[in-house]
Amino acid sequence: MDITSVAFAVTQIGATFSLAPFDTLLQPLIEETLAEQGKNRWRRGTLLIPGLLIWLVLALTLRRDLNYDQTLNWMVAGFRWLADVLPAQAKLVSDGAISHARVKLGVEVFRVLWTKLVASFQPLPADFHGLISVIFDGSTGTMPDTEANRATFGKPSARTGAAAFPQVRLMGLLAVAQRRLVDIAFAPYTGKGTGERALMRTLLARWACKGLLFLMDAGLYAFDVLWDITQKGGEVILKVPAHVKFKRTQRLPDGSWLAELTGKLLDPAVPPTPQGRRHWKTVTLTVRVMRIEIPGFRPFWLMTTLLDPAITAREIALHYHRRWDIEIAYDEIKTHQCVTLRGQAPTTFRSKLPDLVKQEIYALAITYNLVPTLISQAAEHSQDPTAISFLDALQHILEAAPLLTAAPSERREQKRQYLLTLLADCQIDRPRRPRLNPRVVRVKMSKWGRKTNAHKSEVRNMAEHLKIIDAGLDGVTA
């Protein structure tokens, strides 16, 4: 091809651009979403047409270490080396053009694309006695300190008055078997109705809970949430907070107890008083509780709505340990996928406008899900996907993406299969599940001891060391 200008070259690339190796799954959803939103013909004749722009926003969440121009250059770098259609010029678009195009594209396109991607994972596979295990947990994300971001999201308080960066509060729902996020909600860090429990209720309202097993931390406990899940046919395993009281009624052979948990709910049958006061009703929920002991930790209570004695207390306690998978997912996203170069502001998001932050949240969730999807495909016939290193797999994907994108269609699938072979070889250096790390920190800024060379990961057989404590008959209140 005789290329006379950069503009002509990138226009030809942009007309059919899709970022491999994710295009097989995502490109049809992108085209469907743009058609539904009426933006499939928008900005025709320019480089930043909607299809390319969506891929660029997704790529920005994979290459947090690069700026806008460098990320666009990385995406099309394969055409420079394989197709000889781009000169050595880094700035492919004018300053501000990408931000302006992102604002015009909006948030809704990415929200719909996220919804379609999650729907493509259905049905979720069952992984515990015919139930589908899902995990709730919250996190936060930082962003550039601009006036608009501060006004929309707010800053957490700090010893000096306020934190350095505005933050957004996040709540995720992770499918354990697939290790993928299946729903997200977010809100400003400060303000009424923006806490983790409020976001959790937002997610619950969108799900039919029948057949789902929710693994929850003690900090997310709320009686109305437990009641809502059970009334919708779902099940729960959670760590019991210290302030929660329950009445033990019957000891089971495996050392667990049936118990009664009493709480108050708003009574929808009674209208509010003229002063606006609502009426409450007291209800009782039958649960199963067990006292757990793990060497090195204080004993704690687990509570579950799984009352079937065929599911033993030990099985329940060991399965609850999978709740840490969402902590691993957040670590993969914030520590590895969103890593920045030394000297850059280490914020989770890069956008300086609130709507673009929201756009970036959906884009980040989409790209995170795409990486475990490729890992699952690589491990489909031979191994457990959780035994493959996310970080190593991500590095191979980033290396391969520009070349796969520019490869001729007849060779692309061959190269994609080779990439899956490489991902299958990215074994973690030690098993994740029995791993035990000491509670220490690298910099002494908390109550934990300072990390030294003596603090190494240990191997612990959880099934061997975990004990169900016989709570005895002394009293009936935990």
Side-chain angles (χ1 to χ4, degrees):
M1 180 184 296
D2 182 21
I3 299 302
T4 58
S5 70
V6 174
F8 177 75
V10 296
T11 300
Q12 295 301 306
I13 293 170
T16 57
F17 185 88
S18 61
L19 186 64
F22 305 126
D23 54 350
T24 304
L25 174 62
L26 205 58
Q27 184 62 23
L29 301 181
I30 291 176
E31 294 174 358
E32 181 181 320
T33 300
L34 290 175
E36 291 177 359
Q37 298 291 310
K39 295 190 175 182
N40 51 329
R41 296 181 180 274
W42 180 57
R43 295 180 63 91
R44 295 188 68 179
T46 67
L47 169 62
L48 295 176
I49 59 174
L52 177 61
L53 185 58
I54 287 177
W55 281 115
L56 174 57
V57 175
L58 297 175
L60 289 170
T61 66
L62 289 169
R63 299 307 308 263
R64 186 65 182 85
D65 56 323
L66 304 179
N67 63 27
Y68 280 12
D69 292 326
Q70 291 168 341
T71 302
L72 179 57
N73 211 292
W74 167 76
M75 289 169 60
V76 300
F79 292 95
R80 177 179 292 112
W81 294 104
L82 297 183
D84 301 329
V85 297
L86 287 177
Q89 181 170 330
K91 191 172 287 297
L92 302 178
V93 295
S94 60
D95 289 335
I98 295 176
S99 293
H100 177 73
R102 287 183 62 192
V103 171
K104 297 288 287 184
L105 186 61
V107 179
E108 184 64 12
V109 169
F110 288 88
R111 188 196 66 79
V112 173
L113 181 60
W114 158 255
T115 303
K116 290 181 180 295
L117 178 64
V118 171
S120 71
F121 298 148
Q122 304 291 340
L124 298 173
D127 62 300
F128 187 72
H129 291 274
L131 297 170
I132 302 167
S133 301
V134 291
I135 312 171
F136 273 125
D137 203 19
S139 186
T140 59
T142 55
M143 64 197 73
D145 186 15
T146 65
E147 184 177 348
N149 283 345
R150 287 195 303 271
T152 300
F153 296 104
K155 287 184 175 183
S157 59
R159 291 181 181 178
T160 57
F165 299 103
Q167 294 188 18
V168 59
R169 199 180 296 277
L170 306 166
M171 175 58 66
L173 184 64
L174 184 86
V176 173
Q178 294 186 327
R179 192 74 173 279
R180 296 187 183 102
L181 289 170
V182 293
D183 210 347
I184 54 172
F186 54 88
Y189 188 88
T190 59
K192 186 176 181 180
T194 63
E196 290 188 349
R197 292 189 187 91
L199 293 177
M200 180 175 60
R201 292 183 177 96
T202 299
L203 295 183
L204 278 175
R206 301 202 286 248
W207 282 81
C209 297
K210 187 173 179 60
L212 298 182
L213 173 60
F214 293 87
L215 309 181
M216 298 164 55
D217 189 35
L220 295 177
Y221 171 84
F223 182 83
D224 65 301
V225 170
L226 263 65
W227 183 267
D228 184 37
I229 291 174
T230 56
Q231 295 305 298
K232 293 164 70 173
E235 307 288 353
V236 178
I237 307 175
L238 61 85
K239 185 177 179 181
V240 184
H243 69 274
V244 174
K245 305 300 179 182
F246 50 82
K247 182 179 180 181
R248 285 177 279 162
T249 58
Q250 179 185 346
R251 187 185 185 280
L252 300 180
D254 60 5
S256 62
W257 288 77
L258 293 182
E260 293 179 348
L261 184 66
T262 301
K264 292 184 177 182
L265 302 172
L266 283 173
D267 190 350
V270 181
T273 66
Q275 294 78 23
R277 188 171 299 171
R278 304 295 299 271
H279 292 269
W280 297 77
K281 61 180 179 179
T282 300
V283 296
T284 299
L285 182 65
T286 300
V287 295
R288 185 177 175 189
V289 296
M290 58 206 71
R291 188 74 166 162
I292 307 299
E293 182 180 61
I294 300 174
F297 299 90
R298 295 177 180 176
F300 60 93
W301 286 95
L302 274 187
M303 177 186 296
T304 181
T305 57
L306 295 170
L307 307 183
D308 185 357
I311 307 176
T312 67
R314 176 171 290 274
E315 284 182 282
I316 292 171
L318 290 174
H319 189 66
Y320 178 75
H321 191 60
R322 293 299 302 271
R323 196 200 69 78
W324 285 100
D325 280 20
I326 195 168
E327 304 288 359
I328 296 173
Y330 283 144
D331 173 73
E332 291 169 344
I333 292 172
K334 298 173 70 173
T335 305
H336 302 306
Q337 186 174 335
C338 294
V339 65
T340 59
L341 293 175
R342 184 170 298 177
Q344 291 179 329
T347 56
T348 309
F349 305 106
R350 70 170 81 215
S351 301
K352 298 180 180 180
L353 297 175
D355 282 351
L356 297 190
V357 171
K358 297 173 186 178
Q359 187 186 86
E360 200 173 343
I361 290 172
Y362 286 117
L364 184 61
I366 290 170
T367 52
Y368 173 74
N369 272 350
L370 293 175
V371 176
T373 298
L374 287 180
I375 290 176
S376 296
Q377 292 173 359
E380 187 173 4
H381 302 296
S382 60
Q383 63 191 103
D384 177 7
T386 61
I388 294 178
S389 166
F390 177 89
L391 178 58
D392 291 344
L394 179 62
Q395 292 303 317
H396 281 298
I397 292 169
L398 296 182
E399 289 176 2
L403 299 178
L404 279 175
T405 299
S409 56
E410 62 272 13
R411 296 194 59 192
R412 184 177 295 187
E413 182 57 28
Q414 176 187 354
K415 294 294 185 182
R416 184 177 179 278
Q417 291 301 319
Y418 179 65
L419 172 62
L420 295 180
T421 301
L422 293 180
L423 299 187
D425 289 337
C426 294
Q427 302 288 313
I428 54 178
D429 56 356
R430 55 200 185 280
R432 177 176 283 119
R433 194 48 43 199
R435 194 185 308 171
L436 174 67
N437 292 302
R439 289 200 164 189
V440 289
V441 293
R442 290 187 180 276
V443 180
K444 183 59 177 168
M445 296 290 288
S446 70
K447 64 180 180 180
W448 306 111
R450 186 168 183 176
K451 186 173 184 179
T452 68
N453 291 334
H455 295 104
K456 302 293 184 181
S457 294
E458 303 174 11
V459 175
R460 168 176 287 172
N461 188 328
M462 189 63 65
E464 178 182 333
H465 290 90
L466 183 143
K467 297 180 181 179
I468 308 297
I469 303 175
D470 189 343
L473 300 174
D474 52 336
V476 294
T477 302

